[in-house]
Amino acid sequence: MTPETADHPQMDVEDFDELVRRAPREIRNRLEFLGGRLCIRHGPLDVDEFEELAAAAPETVRLEYINGKVEVKAMPDGNHTSIFLWLLRQCMQQRPDLDLAPERGVKAEAYRKGRARTDGFLAPVDHFKGDREWSDPNGALMAVEITSHDRDTDQRDRIDKPLGYAGAEIPVYLLIDRDNHTVTVFSEPKDGRYQQISPHPWGATVELPAPVNITLDTKKLKDYAD
């Protein structure tokens, strides 16, 4: 176990034990907790097995299925929540015809084979009515991620999520990066990648392109630097 792993485990051992207790019997014996990380023995889970596991997980464990692997998403801290609420207010003021749903599960990646838990998912009012845990991305306008201070942020939010959301043809991906103090706008998905990537420092005025059409004044983000 490296010092980094010891200091920043994906989850607490108590949460892992509770996950094992709740997991479907055919999956339970395949779960391991090694070096602070959730591992799957005997090959990866398929998407149906993952959905069973995610549905059984305790509220303190948020699971995602990215690139065929089960990942644990960090629970939001106070500044993370404050940033989401800041964004929610701006979306409501400028686009009252849209809902910014928090922590919405999305069928991501090509052929909808991934399962991502967005920090925010922007879509027309009542778009999610009748959905269960994982929503189809068709008709949604933007996925939002706010980085957490955990060891998986770089791979998950800056590399895997742009590919997954572009593969699902979500028009805009907004990444609010707490480590780099930047707001990055990904847009124009084509062939599984966003064609336009526009980073901005906190404090800048950021234009979210069509179909979102929202202007963000990001000076307030400086209050949440940590």
Side-chain angles (χ1 to χ4, degrees):
M1 180 183 297
T2 66
E4 179 183 1
T5 299
D7 293 342
H8 302 285
Q10 280 189 330
M11 59 198 302
D12 294 334
V13 66
E14 293 82 6
D15 286 336
F16 172 76
D17 289 341
E18 182 65 13
L19 177 64
V20 171
R21 189 184 71 79
R22 292 170 174 241
R25 181 173 299 177
E26 62 274 14
I27 299 175
R28 185 179 304 154
N29 294 332
R30 298 173 61 186
L31 303 179
E32 291 185 310
F33 194 55
L34 300 175
R37 183 179 292 275
L38 176 64
C39 301
I40 310 296
R41 295 190 300 172
H42 310 308
L45 300 181
D46 62 32
V47 69
D48 293 329
E49 291 173 320
F50 167 78
E51 287 192 352
E52 286 188 69
L53 180 63
E59 292 183 0
T60 52
V61 177
R62 302 191 300 167
L63 300 179
E64 299 183 292
Y65 190 69
I66 300 174
N67 286 337
K69 297 186 296 182
V70 178
E71 301 286 351
V72 180
K73 185 169 183 174
M75 296 297 289
D77 59 20
N79 280 354
H80 187 288
T81 299
S82 295
I83 290 170
F84 173 80
L85 293 174
W86 161 83
L87 179 62
L88 175 63
R89 289 190 294 271
Q90 299 210 46
C91 291
M92 290 179 65
Q93 291 167 1
Q94 298 180 50
R95 293 294 306 269
D97 56 318
L98 303 177
D99 282 335
L100 182 64
E103 300 185 16
R104 185 69 224 156
V106 176
K107 297 177 181 178
E109 302 179 5
Y111 311 110
R112 311 298 192 259
K113 291 296 186 181
R115 298 292 183 268
R117 295 190 186 278
T118 60
D119 287 322
F121 203 40
L122 188 70
V125 169
D126 287 340
H127 179 82
F128 305 107
K129 183 179 179 180
D131 283 4
R132 303 190 70 169
E133 187 169 4
W134 308 101
S135 293
D136 192 283
N138 290 343
L141 281 65
M142 180 173 70
V144 178
E145 297 292 347
I146 303 163
T147 63
S148 298
H149 298 308
D150 67 273
R151 62 184 179 179
D152 296 318
T153 280
D154 185 60
Q155 181 69 35
R156 182 183 62 240
D157 294 330
R158 303 184 185 112
I159 299 173
D160 292 338
K161 290 293 183 70
L163 293 174
Y165 294 147
E169 298 184 340
I170 297 172
V172 176
Y173 168 44
L174 178 66
L175 174 61
I176 301 176
D177 196 319
R178 297 166 63 192
D179 294 322
N180 299 327
H181 297 164
T182 57
V183 173
T184 302
V185 182
F186 299 76
S187 60
E188 298 182 22
K190 182 180 179 181
D191 299 328
R193 293 183 179 274
Y194 285 109
Q195 303 303 300
Q196 298 295 325
I197 303 173
S198 179
H200 307 269
W202 286 10
T205 299
V206 178
E207 301 288 342
L208 302 181
V212 179
N213 296 321
I214 289 173
T215 301
L216 298 177
D217 179 355
T218 69
K219 290 193 291 291
K220 182 65 175 176
L221 290 177
K222 294 181 179 181
D223 292 345
Y224 309 126
D226 52 12

